[in-house]
Amino acid sequence: MITLCPRPFPVRIALASALLAAGCAISPGSQAPPAPAGFSADTFTREGLVSGATATEVGCRALPDALWVETSGRRECLRYAAGGAAGPSPVALLHLPGDPPGIGYRVAGGRVQVDRVSEFYEQDAGSRRLAARILAGTMQNMPVFLIARPGMHGSSGNHAQDRHTLDEVELVDGAVGMLKRRYGFRDAVLSGFSSGGLLVANLLARRSDIRCAVIASAPLDLAQFHSRPDGIVADDFALRMPDLADPMRSVATIRSNAEIFVIGDRRDRSVPHAAWIGWSAAARRKGLRVHDAQTNGLDRAELGPVRTYHITSGRSLEAAYGCATGWPPERLRQALLGGERILRPAGQRLDGAAIRAAFTGRQLSGVDWNRWGMRATLSTFWSTDGKQYQFHSAHLDRRLVTQQWWIDSDTLCTSDDGCNAVLFDGQALHLVGDEPRRFQMSFTADAPGH
């Protein structure tokens, strides 16, 4: 829960300065915090993502959301964010993200390096925890873990060099085992988007406790993924092939009873359909329970006007939740094909007066399901003069969106998203669209009126 701080006057300057002037505590702004003790860099930042980071065991164990993972060849500190019920549980949902938004790679001296990455990559541990809490809340408090891959989101390692490698698979596998022991869940439901889906496919060959696996828009055939238009495989990929964790190689060793969903948009320009369809066919030949489903891929508008149809992480999480809660596989597949909502908003519907009390003059942190999905959170300010400001959660001086807001009868309206009902589920405020209800925005909050 966050304490909502009222604001008696309109915001005319950056949110950070305005809230400080009003006496409200806020999270850090654009000044990047120092790396945690024992870490050479903070991979929550773009600079840390580029450089990579080392960590000491002492520094790692001092963090409440970190796992010191030891494999046959590596020792790294992997971060995670947890949400949902505490204590032992029969099942938990674990999500593995894709590569950072707007990233590009280059090869120099035979080593892969990050060439560029969008500022929208940057988060912090607090915003990751917020995303996990909100996601778990929409899933009836099911335990949810957002696992940070090596070299990303606060973890040690080097993202560019660890990406798609056997080392990355072994480290993430070790992290899953440690989370299971730390939190006491019995079975895992895995969701993986893009390169995170490649990890899920490889984990199927290593673990027997996976109840469901959802693989979304993932490069499951690395030779196909790295092929040029003329069919020739790039030289740098050929040189690195022995170290890469190609799911087309590991599929032959999978012995799993998991329900496996492979989803994506056939129009995908980032990971072509051909880069995952062969894996599905190979898995079926092995007798695995694989369900393919076409789903519409989205784009991040802030990264430019070019459509990629790539982002399916939201649908991956929904499908994982549906499988974890017992949806019959074919029923779930049909829901994915038909665009049916699987995560359905619930809670007490607020009237106009309660909506006004919950939002007016308040800073609320949450997620915008339409623009950013669960990859990142944002901080909003709902001014008394009818403006809603959205700011980068890790950099409160970076304004992302400004729009008008008002109340029409028992709905909250914004100039970009129209009018929506507001539900309060005891933990979060949800702006939801018309029937069938769908999430628009969700915010952590105290009970309306407090």
Side-chain angles (χ1 to χ4, degrees), residues 100-102 118-122 298-306 311 368 370-373 375-377 390 392 399-401:
S118 168
E119 67 176 346
F120 290 94
Y121 162 74
E122 295 185 326
L298 306 176
D299 287 283
R300 295 172 67 103
E302 68 274 11
L303 296 181
V306 177
I311 299 176
D368 185 326
N370 293 326
R371 293 187 181 87
W372 291 282
R375 289 181 68 115
T377 57
Q390 297 181 11
H392 194 299
R399 187 182 300 180
L400 305 177
V401 175

Side-chain angles (χ1 to χ4, degrees), residues 232-309:
I232 297 176
V233 175
D235 289 341
D236 61 288
F237 167 70
L239 290 171
R240 297 179 67 222
M241 190 62 188
D243 298 323
L244 295 181
D246 190 344
M248 289 300 290
R249 292 203 299 252
S250 65
V251 68
T253 63
I254 296 177
R255 305 284 188 274
S256 175
N257 294 320
E259 300 292 346
I260 303 167
F261 292 83
V262 179
I263 69 174
D265 193 321
R266 289 182 176 84
R267 300 167 294 176
D268 194 326
R269 295 176 180 171
S270 296
V271 179
H273 180 241
W276 73 74
I277 194 64
W279 185 91
S280 292
R284 282 198 192 87
R285 288 194 295 270
K286 282 285 299 176
L288 303 178
R289 297 201 287 264
V290 179
H291 315 276
D292 291 325
Q294 156 73 18
T295 189
N296 290 331
L298 306 176
D299 287 283
R300 295 172 67 103
E302 68 274 11
L303 296 181
V306 177
R307 294 296 310 275
T308 67
Y309 306 98

Side-chain angles (χ1 to χ4, degrees), residues 251-398:
V251 68
T253 63
I254 296 177
R255 305 284 188 274
S256 175
N257 294 320
E259 300 292 346
I260 303 167
F261 292 83
V262 179
I263 69 174
D265 193 321
R266 289 182 176 84
R267 300 167 294 176
D268 194 326
R269 295 176 180 171
S270 296
V271 179
H273 180 241
W276 73 74
I277 194 64
W279 185 91
S280 292
R284 282 198 192 87
R285 288 194 295 270
K286 282 285 299 176
L288 303 178
R289 297 201 287 264
V290 179
H291 315 276
D292 291 325
Q294 156 73 18
T295 189
N296 290 331
L298 306 176
D299 287 283
R300 295 172 67 103
E302 68 274 11
L303 296 181
V306 177
R307 294 296 310 275
T308 67
Y309 306 98
H310 180 56
I311 299 176
T312 54
S313 50
R315 290 302 267 170
S316 178
L317 286 160
E318 283 197 273
Y321 168 74
C323 190
T325 52
W327 282 48
E330 184 56 27
R331 171 76 179 89
L332 184 53
R333 177 175 176 272
Q334 290 302 319
L336 290 165
L337 289 170
E340 180 182 343
R341 294 293 92 184
I342 300 164
L343 273 179
R344 297 170 181 172
Q348 172 193 357
R349 179 165 180 171
L350 304 186
D351 61 21
I355 294 172
R356 191 178 304 278
F359 287 87
T360 303
R362 299 198 168 192
Q363 181 220 355
L364 299 173
S365 295
V367 296
D368 185 326
W369 296 81
N370 293 326
R371 293 187 181 87
W372 291 282
M374 295 307 301
R375 289 181 68 115
T377 57
L378 67 154
S379 184
T380 64
F381 187 79
W382 304 74
S383 74
T384 56
D385 66 353
K387 287 189 171 59
Q388 186 238 54
Y389 303 89
Q390 297 181 11
F391 294 82
H392 194 299
S393 61
H395 300 283
L396 291 181
D397 62 342
R398 296 183 190 174

Side-chain angles (χ1 to χ4, degrees), residues 4 7 32 84 98 101 106 111 116 119 122 126 163 190 193 196 202 213 256 272 288 346 394 415 428 431 444:
L4 304 179
R7 276 280 295 128
R106 60 187 172 88
R111 297 171 72 85
R116 65 185 185 279
E119 67 176 346
E122 295 185 326
R163 172 179 178 255
L190 301 184
F193 165 65
N202 282 298
S256 175
L288 303 178
S415 50
L431 278 64
T444 57

